[in-house]
Amino acid sequence: MQTLKENVIDILLKSKYITNEQLQKAIELQKEKSIPLRRVLIEQGIITEDMLLSLLSEQLFIPTLHLTKYKFDASIVNLVPERTARQYNLIPLSRMGNTLTVAMSDPLNIFALDDLRTLTGCNIDIVLSPEDEISKTIDMQYHIDSIEIQNMLDEATLSTQDSEKDVELLRPEEIELSSAARESEEAPIVKLVNLMISQAINKRASDIHIEPERDCLRIRYRIDGALHDIFKVPKMRQNAVLARIKIISNLDITENRIPQDGRFKVRIENKEVDFRVSGLPTVFGQKFVLRALDKSNLSIGLETLGFSEVPMKIFKEAIAKPFGMILVTGPTGSGKSTTLYSVLSQLNTPERNIITVEDPVEYQLEGITQIQVKPDIGLDFASGLRSLLRQSPDVIMIGEIRDSETADIAIKAALTGQLVFSTLHTNDAISSITRLIDMGIEPFLVASSLVMLCAQRLARKICLKCRKPVAVADEFLKKIGFKTEEQVTFYASEGCKYCNNTGFYGRVAVLEAVLIDDVIREMIIKKVS
């Protein structure tokens, strides 16, 4: 029997879609990149995926099916283990008697068909589907235990009796997720939310997005900076899920019109994780984002953050200064707070008085005084900062400099003997100087108070379990300023179970650090561009 590659070649040559010359070039590229020939042909624009599927279907007498609108039954999907589905790029569709219909991208893989027959004990019928659609469907269907969730949703009854029982159960701030006994007594919605939280922690998610849509409640996890669709909850269960989130976050469950902020703490496998909760009213109901704050991610000291040598040296030099201001800039979610908390953990010794003003307090650290900003009662950054200066602090951390009043007090604190840490939202380190001057701070005050500026980003690290060496073109390396005479091996990851088939596992902080020396001070005072 011909392989899929041989079939594709035959079909294309017969249909005169491709010349021998194009084919040879595509085969060379395929060997070089180690990817299937059909993907090379599509990427090179020689043929579209739909046209290729149609030709294969015609030649092999196998029907085609697009999976985007197909409704999957979790019990059918689970007849085939996730590992097998990913290995052969296939997904079960339906079962009639002893015949299982499966969507595949390579219908001529006899090993796949043999394995499926052995695993399921069924005869196998095949339909052809695009490779990418099958991969996305596998991600959607196997990401979480679909049967368990479906059972919970089917069980879920929203009677008043259940609601009252939930409210009573949930008064304590801490929820024990790992206790199977207690979980079995709880209502299905409670179990669903607990499962969602524990899955997020196990998958290393930094945020859980709970998003009401027109016909469902969509759940997404942010893993290593990228959002992934996990599962959808039927619309009729939306209010129950959102009410549960509000109850554990100690929010007003009757209020749906204004943004809400709360927090809760869970214990899972002897590890405590804080969640910061933000609710926002949208057209289809309140959207919630749960930010996971895992204290075990905080490093004691800068060495463990993964900064490269030169910025690390500059940072260490700056925090050794007795007073002055250190600013960390970068967009939301770039790890600024984690860097600052790691520095504070290092400075947290009995002889130092460390006070922070934050909105909200992200990580609760022992030995450090932390103030939560409450603008509704007049406790904003400026008033909190003004009051804490009377507490004789040695080190101050301000969550964010948002206005000229906060900036002014922070600068004065840095000039009068305190080491001040704060964050700003700018694109690079040097822009912080312009931002402070735009806020109305005199250039001579900026020059004399600043010690160091740094900008930070988080870069995804490729998965070490599935990485493979790749060839990178010299022209590209020259373009990005890499010295091509150096003998370096480059790697790319294909994706495996360990990294959730993303090809990435974990992130590393990339830091741009600028130490303010006499030359820069003079330039600030002279208002140089």
Side-chain angles (χ1 to χ4, degrees):
M1 191 175 181
Q2 279 187 311
T3 63
L4 186 68
K5 180 180 169 181
E6 288 162 348
N7 255 288
V8 167
I9 291 169
D10 276 2
I11 292 165
L12 291 175
L13 287 173
K14 273 181 199 165
S15 57
K16 297 197 167 58
Y17 258 99
I18 190 169
T19 63
N20 266 321
E21 199 177 287
Q22 283 176 312
L23 180 62
Q24 287 313 313
K25 196 178 170 190
I27 291 171
E28 279 169 31
L29 265 171
Q30 182 231 342
K31 283 176 183 164
E32 190 185 306
K33 292 187 172 181
S34 300
I35 59 173
L37 178 66
R38 58 196 284 183
R39 205 185 299 172
V40 172
L41 296 168
I42 293 160
E43 282 176 7
Q44 294 297 307
I46 293 164
I47 191 167
T48 66
E49 184 154 28
D50 281 346
M51 186 56 76
L52 184 59
L53 273 181
S54 160
L55 285 170
L56 279 169
S57 171
E58 212 173 284
Q59 198 72 21
L60 303 170
F61 304 104
I62 297 172
T64 59
L65 176 73
H66 282 282
L67 303 175
T68 40
K69 297 279 168 65
Y70 191 85
K71 279 196 164 45
F72 286 87
D73 179 342
S75 59
I76 300 293
V77 170
N78 282 281
L79 289 173
V80 177
E82 183 182 0
R83 192 169 56 84
T84 309
R86 291 195 187 279
Q87 185 182 348
Y88 298 122
N89 199 243
L90 55 86
I91 190 92
L93 298 171
S94 62
R95 184 178 177 171
M96 293 285 283
N98 200 37
T99 301
L100 181 68
T101 305
V102 176
M104 293 179 75
S105 56
D106 179 356
L108 303 179
N109 189 333
I110 50 173
F111 300 110
L113 299 174
D114 283 349
D115 277 5
L116 283 178
R117 281 189 204 101
T118 312
L119 276 167
T120 60
C122 296
N123 297 320
I124 306 298
D125 254 4
I126 302 168
V127 298
L128 259 175
S129 291
E131 198 176 339
D132 289 351
E133 281 186 23
I134 295 176
S135 298
K136 279 180 187 163
T137 307
I138 290 171
D139 283 345
M140 283 289 291
Q141 296 300 320
Y142 288 102
H143 235 308
I144 198 161
D145 191 339
S146 310
I147 294 179
E148 197 175 341
I149 282 187
Q150 200 50 53
N151 290 346
M152 287 176 192
L153 293 171
D154 293 344
E155 270 180 61
T157 51
L158 302 179
S159 64
T160 355
Q161 187 187 351
D162 265 348
S163 311
E164 281 168 19
K165 183 181 167 193
D166 285 0
V167 175
E168 274 177 24
L169 263 170
L170 303 168
R171 281 296 164 214
E173 192 200 3
E174 292 192 4
I175 304 123
E176 183 70 84
L177 289 184
S178 28
S179 160
R182 193 180 307 176
E183 198 175 66
S184 63
E185 295 165 11
E186 291 175 344
I189 290 295
V190 176
K191 285 199 267 182
L192 174 70
V193 173
N194 284 2
L195 180 69
M196 177 178 77
I197 294 167
S198 59
Q199 281 274 352
I201 294 168
N202 291 336
K203 288 184 182 289
R204 305 175 296 105
S206 58
D207 302 86
I208 304 171
H209 288 241
I210 301 164
E211 302 167 330
E213 294 188 348
R214 186 185 295 278
D215 52 356
C216 66
L217 183 68
R218 180 159 76 145
I219 311 296
R220 296 195 287 172
Y221 294 164
R222 188 179 290 282
I223 303 166
D224 292 333
L227 277 168
H228 299 269
D229 268 327
I230 303 298
F231 63 96
K232 290 179 178 172
V233 176
K235 193 72 177 172
M236 63 185 289
R237 304 294 178 219
Q238 176 178 307
N239 290 347
V241 172
L242 297 184
R244 165 71 180 163
I245 297 292
K246 286 185 185 183
I247 289 164
I248 61 176
S249 311
N250 212 9
L251 298 175
D252 180 356
I253 62 167
T254 61
E255 184 53 82
N256 297 310
R257 302 158 303 161
I258 56 169
Q260 289 177 291
D261 287 304
R263 64 189 304 142
F264 64 91
K265 184 187 286 186
V266 299
R267 191 184 299 114
I268 180 167
E269 290 160 12
N270 298 322
K271 181 168 81 167
E272 279 192 2
V273 181
D274 279 317
F275 278 89
R276 196 177 84 202
V277 181
S278 168
L280 201 64
T282 71
V283 180
F284 301 117
Q286 265 187 306
K287 170 182 169 169
F288 279 91
V289 175
L290 281 55
R291 162 69 59 91
L293 303 164
D294 185 354
K295 260 188 252 185
S296 62
N297 292 341
L298 283 188
S299 317
I300 301 293
L302 291 165
E303 290 78 5
T304 42
L305 288 172
F307 294 140
S308 47
E309 211 175 308
V310 179
M312 168 81 77
K313 188 166 166 285
I314 295 172
F315 212 129
K316 281 184 169 173
E317 210 174 304
I319 62 171
K321 297 265 166 67
F323 59 86
M325 185 188 267
I326 292 168
L327 290 177
V328 182
T329 74
T332 308
S334 59
K336 301 187 296 289
S337 300
T338 306
T339 299
L340 287 181
Y341 277 113
S342 297
V343 173
L344 289 184
S345 303
Q346 188 176 339
L347 296 175
N348 187 9
T349 55
E351 63 272 10
R352 280 197 186 95
N353 179 16
I354 302 176
I355 307 181
T356 73
V357 194
E358 301 165 74
D359 182 23
V361 172
E362 292 201 10
Y363 297 97
Q364 289 161 356
L365 301 179
E366 279 179 38
I368 290 177
T369 308
Q370 293 171 285
I371 302 168
Q372 166 76 56
V373 169
K374 288 181 183 145
D376 45 336
I377 56 162
L379 175 57
D380 54 14
F381 277 115
S383 60
L385 194 50
R386 211 179 284 112
S387 307
L388 77 81
L389 288 173
R390 300 187 201 108
Q391 299 272 328
S392 83
D394 300 297
V395 179
I396 298 168
M397 198 264 265
I398 307 159
E400 189 189 334
I401 294 179
R402 293 179 187 169
D403 52 53
S404 49
E405 195 181 357
T406 311
D408 185 50
I409 302 164
I411 294 265
K412 283 170 184 163
L415 288 171
T416 53
Q418 277 89 23
L419 190 57
V420 179
F421 292 96
S422 190
T423 68
L424 265 181
H425 285 285
T426 63
N427 287 332
D428 52 30
I430 286 292
S431 304
S432 314
I433 297 170
T434 341
R435 174 62 58 85
L436 289 172
I437 293 170
D438 288 347
M439 281 181 173
I441 308 297
E442 289 294 340
F444 70 89
L445 288 174
V446 174
S448 33
S449 61
L450 284 183
V451 170
M452 184 189 69
L453 308 166
C454 46
Q456 185 172 313
R457 297 288 187 280
L458 291 177
R460 292 197 286 179
K461 294 194 284 188
I462 63 168
C463 174
L464 298 178
K465 302 260 180 187
C466 58
R467 69 173 191 176
K468 286 189 177 154
V470 289
V472 180
D474 284 353
E475 299 83 65
F476 176 72
L477 293 176
K478 279 179 190 155
K479 192 175 164 188
I480 62 166
F482 195 89
K483 295 188 177 85
T484 46
E485 58 271 13
E486 290 180 34
Q487 279 301 305
V488 179
T489 309
F490 291 95
Y491 292 93
S493 294
E494 295 174 333
C496 61
K497 195 163 187 179
Y498 181 68
C499 60
N500 277 326
N501 292 285
T502 58
F504 296 98
Y505 192 93
R507 289 188 288 177
V508 65
V510 182
L511 192 77
E512 170 195 47
V514 181
L515 203 60
I516 305 294
D517 56 15
D518 294 341
V519 178
I520 297 178
R521 282 201 178 90
E522 209 169 305
M523 289 165 82
I524 297 172
I525 292 165
K526 287 180 178 170
K527 298 183 184 175
V528 174
S529 74

